[in-house]
Amino acid sequence: MARTALVTGGIGGIGTAICQRLAKVGYNLVANHHPSESEAAERWKQERMAEGLAIATIAADVSSFEESVRMVGEITDGQGPIDVLVNCAGITRDKSFKKMELDQWQAVIQVNLDSVFNVTRPVWEGMLERGFGRVINISSVNGQRGQFGQANYSAAKAGMHGFTMALAQEGAAKGVTVNTVSPGYVETAMTLAMDEAVRNSIVSGIPMGRMARPEEIAAAVAFLASDESSYITGANLPVNGGLFIH
Ligand code: CAA
């Protein structure tokens, strides 16, 4: 039977590429989106249909635990248990720290980090009981090295990998792996939102001289979701064009 995969933030730039890639190799895919994006999600679903990919969409604000529990319950009832969870929902609220407001801190922590607890918690025990699971957290190079203007985002993204390392130890003996993928700068709406001069200066510092294509992140996720990665857990896989090597 096909495995079921849930991708949070599934209709975004990286999320879309992950959904396409996993659907193409036969997973039963569910793409989560924020409730305010329902119209966009419907269009997105039609676009995937036109590509020959039947992907379910589900609205839920993953910064809410109650909403996340409801979402996981609906997927489990409708499509069966979730075998692969990709925590990909994320936002930016970039500001130098001297100008950062509490709401900009909280929004990023709640959406990027609290969501990882909110969605993983209700799928976790089922994975342990079934003896198989893959949790893949989409972090960022900026969680590894920090970034001017991103104290909130870098804190949340570094926190995701702390979560990965701890949870990996709880799943290891049960066939459940937990890993982080840390993309560098990727061609998506998120990086396009940056000031052009700032973006150009960042790209000029990337050894490969270009941003990543979302498909290049999806390839890493597909590998970590597969049976081939069965002995890899607690890892942080950078996909950053050489931007940060350590
Ligand atoms: N290092 C040192 N100084 C810097 C700097 C840097 N990297 N970037 C800006 N500065 C300086 C400026 O030169 C300016 O100096 P002066 O005041 O002396 O003129 C000052 O900082 C600007 O500070 P402000 O308080 O005016 O900054 P701001 O609050 O308006 O914010 C910013 C500026 C929005 C953070 C802007 O610098 C920026 O967009 N930076 C890039 C942030 C970034 O990389 N975001 C990634 C988004 S994509 C993503 O997050 C995906 C992913 O995972 C990679």
Side-chain angles (χ1 to χ4, degrees):
M1 223 176 69
R3 286 183 176 144
T4 296
L6 167 63
V7 182
T8 71
I11 71 168
I14 296 176
T16 298
I18 294 170
C19 287
Q20 287 170 316
R21 175 72 193 241
L22 293 182
K24 276 181 194 155
V25 294
Y27 289 86
N28 176 27
L29 245 291
V30 184
N32 152 261
H33 61 86
H34 191 271
S36 66
E37 300 173 322
S38 290
E39 275 177 32
E42 195 46 46
R43 279 196 303 277
W44 183 93
K45 202 162 140 178
Q46 298 308 323
E47 285 164 15
R48 303 291 79 75
M49 276 291 189
E51 295 167 359
L53 303 173
I55 302 181
T57 55
I58 189 161
D61 177 355
V62 293
S63 70
S64 152
F65 182 61
E66 290 72 25
E67 276 277 283
S68 303
V69 169
R70 174 197 53 79
M71 169 177 72
V72 169
E74 278 179 25
I75 296 168
T76 307
D77 292 348
Q79 338 222 177
I82 294 163
D83 304 298
V84 176
L85 169 62
V86 185
N87 287 309
C88 184
I91 59 169
T92 51
R93 295 286 183 272
D94 294 355
K95 275 280 172 226
S96 60
F97 193 61
K98 66 183 180 194
K99 292 185 187 166
M100 191 177 286
E101 303 288 346
L102 178 63
D103 66 328
Q104 293 166 328
W105 171 266
Q106 287 177 332
V108 169
I109 298 294
Q110 287 163 3
V111 174
N112 297 15
L113 183 59
D114 290 350
S115 64
V116 172
F117 171 84
N118 295 339
V119 187
T120 310
R121 183 66 187 84
V123 305
W124 182 249
E125 278 155 85
M127 286 180 172
L128 296 180
E129 279 159 19
R130 292 190 305 281
F132 179 85
R134 296 280 188 266
V135 177
I136 301 160
N137 297 317
I138 308 302
S139 178
S140 166
V141 65
N142 291 344
Q144 299 178 289
R145 60 162 200 171
Q147 168 62 41
F148 185 103
Q150 289 201 306
N152 48 4
Y153 186 88
S154 298
K157 293 298 190 181
M160 288 176 91
H161 187 57
F163 173 87
T164 290
M165 293 189 290
L167 204 61
Q169 299 185 28
E170 297 191 24
K174 308 280 183 188
V176 183
T177 67
V178 186
N179 291 291
T180 298
V181 172
S182 287
Y185 285 75
V186 186
E187 289 166 355
T188 64
M190 186 181 273
T191 52
L192 258 184
M194 285 190 295
D195 176 81
E196 197 180 347
V198 173
R199 197 171 60 241
N200 289 342
S201 119
I202 286 170
V203 172
S204 71
I206 301 172
M208 285 198 189
R210 64 170 179 89
M211 290 201 195
R213 294 185 298 276
E215 297 73 26
E216 293 174 310
I217 313 306
V221 173
F223 168 65
L224 290 173
S226 74
D227 285 332
E228 284 181 307
S229 70
S230 50
Y231 205 60
I232 301 175
T233 197
N236 189 353
L237 179 54
V239 188
N240 66 28
L243 180 56
F244 180 67
I245 297 173
H246 73 130

